[in-house]
Amino acid sequence: MQDKPVVLVTRKLPQAVEERLGHDYEARFNQDDRVYSGDELIKLAAGADAIIPTHTEKLSADVIQHLPESVRAIASYSVGYDHIDLESAKARGIIVTNTPEVLSDATAEIAMLLLLGAARRAHEGEQLIRTNTWSEWSPTYNLGIGVTGKRLGILGMGRVGQIMARRARGFDMEIHYYNRHRLGSEYETGATYYETVEALLPHCDFLSIHCPATPETHHLLNARRIALLPDGAVVVNTARGAIIDDEALIAALRSGKLFAAGLDVFNNEPDINPGYRDLQNSFLLPHIGSAARETRDAMGFRALDNLDALFAGREPHDRLV
Ligand code: DGY
């Protein structure tokens, strides 16, 4: 009987995923779920055929160059791949895959939650109850802004952006978007397209970010572009923290230029810019866009489908390089 391929699994995965891994592969699990450094990854991958990392492991050019020769594939347990230096992987002949599609609904749900929570000041209201400081009802306390019928700008109209647009239409929101390429009318379904981010921004009562983190989108939402948003706009980010210049966003939330922000992703997670914590008009979640049980199972199965294909000599469905 042929030996099973050896797979290094960098974080604790859902039980059903670990069971399938344990059955089909010689899996090296991470028992205490600690985030491995680059040096640890290199050592732990000795003799491994593949690695299943998450976005918490930084597979930089340097780490990839020093991975053992045995490593043929990196099947990331994530749709985002900004934590992996694809060029270096390609140069080493290491196949890299991700897990698109299966987390789009869950991420759009969290984007909607952030949009609603930020607009209606959900966390301040909840704080009143939890701290037992809710004294009486009044017509003027905890006033937020309404969402129904407002203009939603979507920056990046890929899978998640399109689902977000559908959900927002349920709130009668008017959809405006920027994408590198204009969508066909069957996908656009009445949304208004802008050829540049700058052209989109003045039309956004709400702006929801859904583009990938790349060198081109690094700090895309900076002070200059925030100034183009209408006064009192709300910014939502479920994509990657790197797309936002934190200092610029915090300044705009402090000055009242923006009404609020709803954020699930941050630069330098989990050591986020402390400025966000002091702001009452920031509604903050700890990168839980895909954290629904069904979704996290589906992400693991998708990563394994990719590895199964590779080790059976087929082309993995979600090959990036
Ligand atoms: C993703 O899949 O990219 C999510 O952000 C979780 O890593």
Side-chain angles (χ1 to χ4, degrees):
M1 207 179 80
Q2 238 192 335
D3 286 343
K4 291 178 182 174
V6 178
V7 178
L8 172 65
V9 186
T10 66
R11 301 298 304 273
K12 174 131 198 58
L13 298 182
Q15 192 180 341
V17 179
E18 291 205 342
E19 278 170 10
R20 180 168 150 190
L21 257 162
H23 184 267
D24 296 344
Y25 292 93
E26 192 184 317
R28 293 182 187 160
F29 292 117
N30 179 347
Q31 301 299 353
D32 56 7
D33 202 18
R34 194 168 52 76
V35 178
Y36 295 141
S37 67
D39 286 346
E40 285 175 303
L41 280 176
I42 293 164
K43 280 202 194 90
L44 291 165
D49 297 286
I51 304 176
I52 300 187
T54 74
H55 77 267
T56 57
E57 287 72 55
K58 307 298 169 219
L59 287 146
S60 62
D62 188 50
V63 171
I64 290 184
Q65 274 151 25
H66 289 93
L67 284 176
E69 282 298 317
S70 60
V71 176
R72 289 174 54 196
I74 296 171
S76 193
Y77 180 88
S78 65
V79 64
Y81 46 85
D82 48 304
H83 56 296
I84 305 173
D85 192 292
L86 293 185
E87 283 310 310
S88 307
K90 193 173 171 188
R92 283 253 344 235
I94 296 175
I95 289 172
V96 181
T97 62
N98 67 341
T99 63
E101 290 157 15
V102 292
L103 42 68
S104 307
D105 283 307
T107 306
E109 284 172 11
I110 288 294
M112 207 63 218
L113 172 67
L114 289 171
L115 187 151
L116 292 167
R120 300 299 299 274
R121 300 174 58 182
H123 95 90
E124 289 167 88
E126 213 220 15
Q127 227 169 20
L128 284 176
I129 294 182
R130 287 195 188 277
T131 55
N132 203 11
T133 46
W134 181 27
S135 49
E136 57 177 347
W137 187 91
S138 138
T140 54
Y141 79 80
N142 215 69
L143 290 185
I145 52 175
V147 165
T148 304
K150 298 276 172 68
R151 298 170 298 175
L152 170 63
I154 296 187
L155 211 168
M157 197 59 135
R159 299 179 197 91
V160 184
Q162 288 175 42
I163 295 175
M164 181 64 175
R166 288 213 293 277
R167 303 294 176 258
R169 283 196 185 96
F171 286 85
D172 297 333
M173 296 187 90
E174 208 182 85
I175 310 301
H176 300 251
Y177 77 100
Y178 165 78
N179 200 47
R180 270 175 311 165
H181 309 290
R182 183 170 183 169
L183 303 185
S185 56
E186 70 275 32
Y187 297 105
E188 206 171 60
T189 50
T192 306
Y193 174 67
Y194 298 85
E195 282 183 357
T196 62
V197 178
E198 284 74 11
L200 166 73
L201 294 173
H203 303 278
C204 305
D205 301 315
F206 292 81
L207 175 72
S208 193
I209 299 176
H210 298 286
C211 58
T214 62
E216 292 74 42
T217 62
H218 185 77
H219 286 193
L220 182 75
L221 195 66
N222 54 19
R224 182 176 64 80
R225 294 203 178 91
I226 289 172
L228 297 175
L229 286 164
D231 290 348
V234 172
V235 169
V236 169
N237 189 9
T238 50
R240 283 291 185 265
I243 299 162
I244 289 181
D245 173 348
D246 288 334
E247 293 302 335
L249 183 60
I250 289 168
L253 289 167
R254 275 203 189 117
S255 71
K257 161 70 187 170
L258 295 178
F259 180 76
L263 307 173
D264 183 49
V265 286
F266 301 86
N267 286 291
N268 204 30
E269 295 172 10
D271 298 320
I272 69 168
N273 189 314
Y276 285 121
R277 294 199 189 95
D278 304 330
L279 288 166
Q280 285 301 334
N281 55 351
S282 65
F283 182 47
L284 311 173
L285 294 176
H287 201 145
I288 57 167
S290 61
R293 289 181 185 172
E294 310 80 350
T295 306
R296 289 282 163 88
D297 281 353
M299 289 168 69
F301 297 147
R302 186 89 176 211
L304 288 179
D305 290 347
N306 284 317
L307 284 188
D308 291 353
L310 177 81
F311 290 115
R314 287 180 278 113
E315 180 70 8
H317 196 257
D318 306 310
R319 182 170 178 169
L320 296 165
V321 291

